[in-house]
Amino acid sequence: MVMTQETRKYQAFYTRSIPIVDYMIEKLSLKREDRIFEPCGGDGVFAEAILNWNKNANIDICELNDNAFNILQNKFYNYTTANIRQCDTLLDKDLIFYSNFGGIYDKIIANPPYGAWQDYDKRNKLKKLFPNIYTKETYTLFLYRCIDVLKVGGILSFIIPDTFLNLHMHKAIRKHILTRTKILELTLFPSSFFPGVNFGYANLSIITLQKCNNKKECLENSFKVINGFTHVEQLANVADNKLNVLTFMQNEILKNPDCAFFVTDNSEITEAINNTRLQIGDIARCVTGFYSGDDKKFMQVISSGLKNGKNYNLVDVKTINREYKDYSGILEGFKGDKCFLPVIKGGNTKYLKPESWFMNWSKEAVKHYKTDKKARFQNSQFYFKFGIGVPMISSSSITASLIDNKLFDQSIVGIFPKDETLTYYLLAFFNSPTCNQLIRTINPSANNSANYIKKIPFIMPDKTKLEHITSNVAKIIALINENGSFDENIEVQVNNMIKSLYGF
Ligand SMILES: C[S@@+](CC[C@H](N)C(=O)[O-])C[C@H]1O[C@@H](n2cnc3c(N)ncnc32)[C@H](O)[C@@H]1O
């Protein structure tokens, strides 16, 4: 799809996928007498499919954008039961009125805008109208409003990013869904199934739910989560035995930390998350690192061939300061030319990163970092300390490398165990498949921000295991220091020990 300004403003990504449209319509179990709502019409794909099925279907369509509204009017000119209104679904007075009545629609279908831009005035209005919901993300507001305007017993099907299932900011909408509706089915699939869209940060989901005003019934409801899709046509037959089908009860999800949906068929993982005595946040400080405000100006690279390093100046090795570790005034910066210090950045290197990036740490530069609006001199008590760095974004598995008394930037979450003797054990843990399964269950997106890392269950190994793992990690680090690589058999042994501790 060509991304015009208008597409971006209204997030007008239309559902040009027959399998997606057919699946969602099928989920509504439409009846001829249903009163139907399409809260963000676009060019009318859903309405068209419904009117093809029943040309007298009673359908209300809202659309904000002039062009799309005109298209809808022309397209459905001859359909007297299709009522098209140009309005803002989130602020519209009629819809607020219907909500106050407990809802009027039997069926609702939507592909709402995701993260559409709202000006500040509108954001303030939205905050008043939806006090508990995160207002910077539009799709959850559409979902909330549509649950409101649905009749008790009415069914809604929405195609939306899967971020509402786990992200902290969406806790309130999860609670609302779990206690005010019965989820009928949830399908999860790659965003690339949606023509023209492929956002790296999340997958897509289709949630179908039924409004219910009995909380007990909602919580006793069990529903299927279907994932493992390899192609979009599989939506036509979700009973296909190649798909992965999991069943959950709503009261189980409500009990999870932050009411997050942990979509895994391994109950040991969910149990570990729910029943742990200690979490990483209890035994270590997890903090985001430093930002200069202008890295192109303040950061330099060791070689011009370094990945992502081509727009940075080469560091003059004579300006690298190697004696900085014992300098007590380090948070004030250095006088003189020897003022470049190594900094750990993102990138998925395990155990130990080569020294490739250097930050200007002169007195003047540090003064700038402390006063510049864009710079982030945050969590400075952890700069140049001994800990572990986990990249904020990891495309494949989570990785961790040592922060051996270096600076770490904001693409890294620094993990500093309260008991320093646990550092190598934690380094092994954060590189293990066990930890990867835990973090991907807590948050399936590629994002490992400090808040999710803090929630990972921590199991203290006994003294023998701790020593064994620690000495093996020391060997790995020594090998990397000597040859730039390590013996993978040692890693396998360490991973197996961690697996035996957690059970997976
Ligand atoms: C993601 S598109 C989907 C359109 C259509 N339902 C489909 O699936 O092809 C979202 C549509 O919502 C419209 N829209 C954006 N914000 C809106 C709002 N606040 N109220 C009503 N419509 C809105 C956009 O103009 C766009 O046409």
Side-chain angles (χ1 to χ4, degrees):
M1 168 178 292
V2 184
M3 188 73 146
T4 61
Q5 234 183 351
E6 191 165 279
T7 313
R8 206 171 288 131
K9 180 170 172 202
Y10 293 101
Q11 290 295 300
F13 297 102
Y14 296 158
T15 315
R16 308 222 183 289
S17 163
I18 293 168
I20 292 178
V21 175
D22 285 354
Y23 168 79
M24 290 175 69
I25 296 223
E26 203 252 320
K27 285 285 114 195
L28 292 181
S29 311
L30 287 168
K31 298 202 190 83
R32 301 188 82 76
E33 65 276 15
D34 279 340
R35 185 154 186 198
I36 305 163
F37 182 42
E38 211 308 15
C40 37
D43 65 356
V45 270
F46 292 130
E48 201 169 358
I50 291 168
L51 290 164
N52 280 344
W53 160 78
N54 171 14
K55 68 177 179 12
N56 296 317
N58 185 352
I59 181 165
D60 291 346
I61 307 171
C62 291
E63 172 56 57
L64 183 60
N65 173 248
D66 293 344
N67 288 336
F69 173 68
N70 289 336
I71 291 171
L72 288 169
Q73 275 199 317
N74 290 333
K75 204 172 200 174
F76 301 123
Y77 182 75
N78 289 323
Y79 294 85
T80 49
T81 53
N83 168 30
I84 304 156
R85 290 195 301 132
Q86 184 169 20
C87 66
D88 186 327
T89 299
L90 299 178
L91 303 177
D92 183 64
K93 294 227 160 48
D94 288 0
L95 292 172
I96 295 174
F97 180 71
Y98 299 155
S99 305
N100 295 339
F101 265 84
I104 62 157
Y105 292 106
D106 299 290
K107 305 288 156 66
I108 303 180
I109 187 163
N111 165 23
Y114 317 148
W117 166 253
Q118 322 277 355
D119 61 39
Y120 290 101
D121 181 38
K122 183 166 168 189
R123 255 188 234 172
N124 286 336
K125 284 187 191 148
L126 291 173
K127 274 190 194 142
K128 286 197 187 113
L129 278 172
F130 303 91
N132 298 320
I133 307 293
Y134 178 72
T135 42
K136 280 195 199 151
E137 176 50 274
T138 40
Y139 80 80
T140 48
L141 299 175
F142 275 82
L143 184 55
Y144 192 91
R145 170 59 76 237
C146 285
I147 293 173
D148 270 356
V149 296
L150 201 59
K151 268 187 198 161
V152 169
I155 298 176
L156 159 162
S157 190
F158 262 51
I159 178 166
I160 45 183
D162 67 355
T163 44
F164 74 100
L165 298 172
N166 301 81
L167 296 193
H168 290 284
M169 58 213 176
H170 297 319
K171 179 176 174 185
I173 188 81
R174 286 196 286 278
K175 216 167 168 185
H176 192 68
I177 292 172
L178 291 166
T179 54
R180 307 288 299 275
T181 79
K182 291 183 194 167
I183 301 174
L184 302 182
E185 191 164 282
L186 177 65
T187 48
L188 306 173
F189 49 87
S191 58
S192 57
F193 280 14
F194 194 98
V197 174
N198 190 355
F199 31 82
Y201 66 89
N203 289 316
L204 277 174
S205 65
I206 296 175
I207 183 161
T208 306
L209 49 83
Q210 183 167 38
K211 187 159 169 179
C212 169
N213 60 2
N214 180 330
K215 185 173 171 189
K216 188 164 174 277
E217 262 181 50
C218 295
L219 293 180
E220 282 168 1
N221 180 54
S222 67
F223 62 99
K224 287 196 169 82
V225 178
I226 305 166
N227 63 11
F229 289 87
T230 50
H231 50 274
V232 68
E233 285 74 21
Q234 286 171 302
L235 280 170
N237 178 18
V238 290
D240 179 348
N241 60 14
K242 288 199 195 82
L243 295 170
N244 196 12
V245 181
L246 306 167
T247 304
F248 295 95
M249 278 191 50
Q250 286 180 205
N251 59 12
E252 284 167 9
I253 310 259
L254 194 75
K255 281 188 220 139
N256 287 345
D258 279 344
C259 315
F261 286 63
F262 298 139
V263 178
T264 170
D265 52 359
N266 188 336
S267 58
E268 282 177 285
I269 298 180
T270 325
E271 272 162 32
I273 295 170
N274 285 335
N275 302 333
T276 184
R277 279 197 314 116
L278 287 174
Q279 295 177 325
I280 293 293
D282 298 317
I283 58 112
R285 294 292 307 270
C286 305
V287 293
T288 315
F290 163 88
Y291 175 51
S292 69
D294 185 354
D295 281 348
K296 299 257 158 43
K297 181 170 167 197
F298 292 103
M299 196 148 64
Q300 301 196 343
V301 286
I302 197 76
S303 124
S304 53
L306 190 71
K307 194 171 169 214
N308 302 328
K310 72 174 189 303
N311 294 323
Y312 292 81
N313 290 327
L314 270 185
V315 67
D316 174 352
V317 287
K318 292 203 285 298
T319 65
I320 298 176
N321 189 325
R322 303 246 172 237
E323 281 88 49
Y324 66 90
K325 286 182 188 164
D326 298 325
Y327 177 48
S328 60
I330 195 156
L331 293 181
E332 303 305 320
F334 290 95
K335 273 196 203 139
D337 294 339
K338 259 189 169 342
C339 60
F340 276 84
L341 303 186
V343 53
I344 310 253
K345 279 174 61 61
N348 292 319
T349 305
K350 289 173 166 186
Y351 304 106
L352 190 67
K353 287 196 162 129
E355 283 187 358
S356 309
W357 299 88
F358 294 85
M359 191 63 71
N360 185 342
W361 209 253
S362 65
K363 278 199 175 300
E364 302 71 45
V366 170
K367 192 169 167 209
H368 166 91
Y369 307 146
K370 288 181 180 172
T371 50
D372 182 61
K373 267 200 186 143
K374 281 207 221 140
R376 294 277 174 274
F377 202 80
Q378 55 196 355
N379 303 310
S380 57
Q381 70 272 37
F382 295 101
Y383 298 173
F384 313 107
K385 296 282 188 294
F386 192 66
I388 293 161
V390 169
M392 197 76 108
I393 304 289
S394 50
S395 49
S396 50
S397 297
I398 189 169
T399 58
S401 63
L402 208 57
I403 299 180
D404 42 349
N405 304 92
K406 288 180 184 145
L407 184 64
F408 59 104
D409 89 344
Q410 64 171 6
S411 58
I412 291 278
V413 178
I415 300 163
F416 297 90
K418 293 175 187 165
D419 172 359
E420 232 182 60
T421 61
L422 293 176
T423 310
Y424 277 9
Y425 168 63
L426 283 182
L427 185 56
F429 173 69
F430 277 102
N431 281 308
S432 70
T434 303
C435 177
N436 196 53
Q437 292 186 74
L438 286 164
I439 186 96
R440 289 293 158 261
T441 305
I442 291 170
N443 176 22
S445 81
N447 185 325
N448 309 313
S449 79
N451 279 336
Y452 301 115
I453 288 179
K454 282 183 198 162
K455 282 196 197 165
I456 298 175
F458 173 77
I459 296 181
M460 182 72 185
D462 64 30
K463 194 164 170 276
T464 323
K465 273 196 180 133
L466 179 64
E467 281 170 6
H468 196 102
I469 294 175
T470 301
S471 71
N472 275 319
V473 173
K475 271 187 219 157
I476 291 179
I477 304 258
L479 286 170
I480 298 175
N481 267 326
E482 273 164 40
N483 329 318
S485 64
F486 60 90
D487 177 355
E488 283 178 10
N489 291 323
I490 309 178
E491 187 183 43
V492 171
Q493 269 186 42
V494 169
N495 285 345
N496 283 338
M497 293 190 87
I498 292 171
K499 186 173 173 187
S500 72
L501 273 171
Y502 279 80
F504 48 88

